Amino acid sequence: MARLADSPRTRFAPAPTGFLHLGHVANAIHVWGMARARDGSVLLRIEDHDRRRSRPGFEAALLADLAWLGFERDDGPVRQSRDDAPYEAALATLRGAGVIYGCDCSRSTFAGWAEGSGRPWSGPGCPGGCRARGAEEVTLRAALGDESESWVDELVGPSTGDVAVAGDPLIRDRDGNWTYGFAVVVDDLRQGIDLVIRGRDLLDATPAQIWLARLLGRERPPSFAHHPLIFRIDGLKLSKADGATAIGQLRADGRSAAQVIGEAAARVGLQRFPRPFRASEVGSLFD
């Protein structure tokens, strides 16, 4: 079906730094479900901006898992590692706006400040005062000020947050990698993404990304939808270290794709009970 002019274009954007798990399935249900319910399209974007941790084997596995689950992309896959030019151009734009500065703070710098202050660093800047003293460009940060952003999240509702909730956002890390928070802003703008669907652990990242997008020329931010997460028994969210929920392991244990999708849907409240659900049916959860 041709995508309607006013229908959304969204993306499923896993990082090939581990195996897909049940939490990724919950995200896929929301991405494909919300897109299909509105005659929208889904781009598959491989977010391999962290070249040290990304592995071809993980990418091959995630493509195989998506095929087994039955989630069919409309476009892609595209990969962040293929072309640095869009990120270099965006960095040049931010330099031109006067917001980029070098920073030599490390994680231990932030941890030491938190230990001495009794709370994590928050607000503009960084613990080392790197912008004021013209620090070496070990990493790059964007000075966004002490502004806030408000938006109406499609799943959370009216939301407001500071653009520098945990300090000025990193643009490039000490290994030379573009950061997640920068790369996705550039990609969503150039790839025409107008609906961003992701977990609520990234809700606080939204204000900075809206602000960065505006600096890069995006007049209207995308719509955002932050869905519930799947948590372990100990209260922590699922991660790629949870081998028991890896899709490949669930498949090896004899679970069907419909059973895995149904369990993920129930774990985030889209079904009352884990009834088997096919990928082609997820749009009905959002009608």
Side-chain angles (χ1 to χ4, degrees), residues 207-232:
Q209 292 175 11
I210 293 175
W211 197 267
L212 281 172
R214 186 180 298 116
L215 288 174
L216 293 174
R218 184 160 195 161
E219 296 181 1
R220 181 178 180 179
S223 296
F224 289 91
H226 289 87
H227 60 75
L229 304 174
I230 296 179
F231 293 95
R232 305 185 321 193

Side-chain angles (χ1 to χ4, degrees), residues 30-45:
H30 282 86
V31 168
W32 267 272
M34 295 181 74
R36 297 300 183 239
R38 307 179 192 186
D39 294 318
S41 64
V42 178
L43 166 71
L44 175 60
R45 184 166 74 211

Side-chain angles (χ1 to χ4, degrees), residues 96-112:
V99 301
I100 294 297
Y101 66 92
C103 178
D104 56 19
C105 290
S106 64
R107 290 183 180 179
S108 62
T109 308
F110 278 82

Side-chain angles (χ1 to χ4, degrees), residues 47-130:
E47 296 197 337
D48 56 354
H49 55 89
D50 187 338
R51 302 183 189 191
R52 182 175 62 85
R53 297 175 59 224
S54 296
R55 297 287 186 274
F58 289 139
E59 179 178 331
L62 73 84
L63 291 173
D65 287 341
L66 283 177
W68 177 72
L69 288 164
F71 290 107
E72 298 181 357
R73 59 189 180 269
D74 300 296
D75 196 3
V78 295
R79 296 169 180 84
Q80 293 173 324
S81 63
R82 290 292 174 86
D83 186 6
D84 269 343
Y87 311 111
E88 294 286 2
L91 175 61
T93 297
L94 295 179
R95 284 191 187 277
V99 301
I100 294 297
Y101 66 92
C103 178
D104 56 19
C105 290
S106 64
R107 290 183 180 179
S108 62
T109 308
F110 278 82
W113 191 93
E115 183 177 354
S117 305
R119 63 177 180 85
W121 177 271
S122 62
C126 61
C130 291

Side-chain angles (χ1 to χ4, degrees), residues 120-138:
W121 177 271
S122 62
C126 61
C130 291
R131 189 184 192 196
R133 60 185 177 83
E136 182 183 355
E137 291 190 351
V138 176

